[in-house]
Amino acid sequence: MIIRTGRRAMAAVGAALLASAVLTGCGGEDAATAVVPQGWGELRTAGVDVACPKGFKEQGAGERSRYNAAAATLTQGGRTVGLITVQLDFTNADSAEEAAIGAEAGVQLGSTIEGTKDVEIAGTDDAKRVDFAFTSSGEENTPVAGTRVHGTIVTGLDSKDVTFAVRIDAQKGVLDDADLRRIIESIEVH
């Protein structure tokens, strides 16, 4: 073993760390790896892709809101009990923090914001997760009036600095924590 001291030692350590970073691919785009669970569907858009659990059905352009670049629903008894949507360029923001503020503003009136935190998403090194809950109104094939719904929005900026938001809403008890985690881990930003 060779032990160096002084500036040469610092330069050697710095060079070794730089070489290691280059070889291992350190950086925002490799901070997380998107994983699509076997048997799941996938929503693909120009800015973001996300997986959908079995049972979710992708909506065509004529079925989804004009604000959604992609959407998939889970229905039970003729009512939508789960919804995954992707919105692109939904607000003007220069950071994931600003995008999260915009996402929170878009949550329906009467919702309870449960928290906002950093989250690792493939393809970006700056994303936020916003969790919230609300009570269903029972309108337009939504869960029965009075049913609690949990929502999560993952938001940030894509490679062109355009905002994205992946929103997952599910009636309590319909989507377990493991599936929610797998949906979030499947998000890949372009």
Side-chain angles (χ1 to χ4, degrees):
M1 176 191 311
I2 300 174
I3 298 176
R4 299 182 188 192
T5 59
R7 290 184 188 164
R8 282 188 160 166
M10 294 306 287
V13 169
L17 288 174
L18 179 60
S20 174
V22 169
L23 291 174
T24 58
C26 286
E29 293 192 16
D30 293 325
T33 302
V35 177
V36 177
Q38 187 172 351
W40 283 29
E42 192 171 12
L43 298 176
R44 294 180 170 273
T45 71
V48 179
D49 299 337
V50 62
C52 302
K54 292 178 184 178
F56 277 79
K57 293 187 180 178
E58 186 172 359
Q59 293 180 336
E63 298 173 279
R64 65 180 179 255
S65 162
R66 66 185 175 108
Y67 301 107
N68 294 330
T73 58
L74 177 66
T75 58
Q76 292 177 354
R79 293 191 172 271
T80 300
V81 296
L83 177 64
I84 300 172
T85 61
V86 178
Q87 288 187 350
L88 304 174
D89 202 14
F90 72 96
T91 189
N92 290 326
D94 293 326
S95 67
E97 184 73 34
E98 289 179 14
I101 292 167
E104 287 177 14
V107 172
Q108 77 181 46
L109 200 58
S111 295
T112 303
I113 302 294
E114 297 172 344
T116 301
K117 61 185 175 184
D118 293 334
V119 64
E120 286 189 24
I121 300 298
T124 184
D125 58 359
D126 190 19
K128 297 285 185 186
R129 174 180 170 171
V130 179
D131 289 295
F132 58 97
F134 60 93
T135 302
S136 176
S137 65
E139 297 174 13
E140 300 180 23
N141 298 325
T142 60
V144 175
T147 302
R148 289 299 284 170
V149 176
H150 179 266
T152 298
I153 300 173
V154 175
T155 188
L157 304 175
D158 67 15
S159 63
K160 296 176 184 164
D161 290 334
V162 174
T163 56
F164 70 87
V166 175
R167 180 172 170 161
I168 306 124
D169 290 342
Q171 175 180 312
K172 289 259 186 198
V174 169
L175 191 64
D176 63 29
D177 289 340
D179 280 344
L180 178 60
R181 179 181 46 77
R182 285 189 283 264
I183 294 168
I184 293 169
E185 289 173 352
S186 78
I187 298 170
E188 184 169 1
V189 179
H190 306 286

